[in-house]
Amino acid sequence: MEIAISIILGCCALGAGICMGIGAVGPGIGEGNAVSKACEAIGRQPESKGSVTSTMIMGCAIAETTGIYSLVVAILLIFVAPGMFVELLKSAL
């Protein structure tokens, strides 16, 4: 029984780590690419700075939601899921 609980806790921690590892890389790459292209666009046409900047900020905010969703899933895996799985294991035995 204690080994099964340890496996449940370890798998939940591993899942949370994988979730944040993958979920944090995507928005970082996407936002970096967006800022890079926005700087290039402003460098080519400085008069369009306002529209490029506002569009870039909106895009970065939308891209960041992926990282926030993965953070929420990781928090659930750390704090909520182990208790649910342990109770399920105890009720099965």
Side-chain angles (χ1 to χ4, degrees):
M1 179 79 165
E2 287 121 18
I3 293 175
I5 293 174
S6 298
I7 291 172
I8 289 172
L9 294 175
C11 288
C12 286
L14 184 63
I18 291 171
C19 180
M20 282 309 297
I22 294 172
V25 170
I29 292 171
E31 290 175 19
N33 192 19
V35 171
S36 167
K37 298 297 180 183
C39 288
E40 287 179 16
I42 292 171
R44 289 187 182 136
Q45 292 183 338
E47 65 275 0
S48 67
K49 179 183 177 185
S51 63
V52 170
T53 303
S54 63
T55 304
M56 179 203 61
I57 290 174
M58 181 59 110
C60 286
I62 291 171
E64 190 63 32
T65 59
T66 309
I68 293 170
Y69 291 147
S70 65
L71 176 65
V72 169
V73 169
I75 289 172
L76 289 174
L77 279 171
I78 291 173
F79 295 111
V80 177
M84 290 174 49
F85 289 136
V86 168
E87 289 300 320
L88 183 66
L89 177 69
K90 287 180 182 177
S91 67
L93 298 177

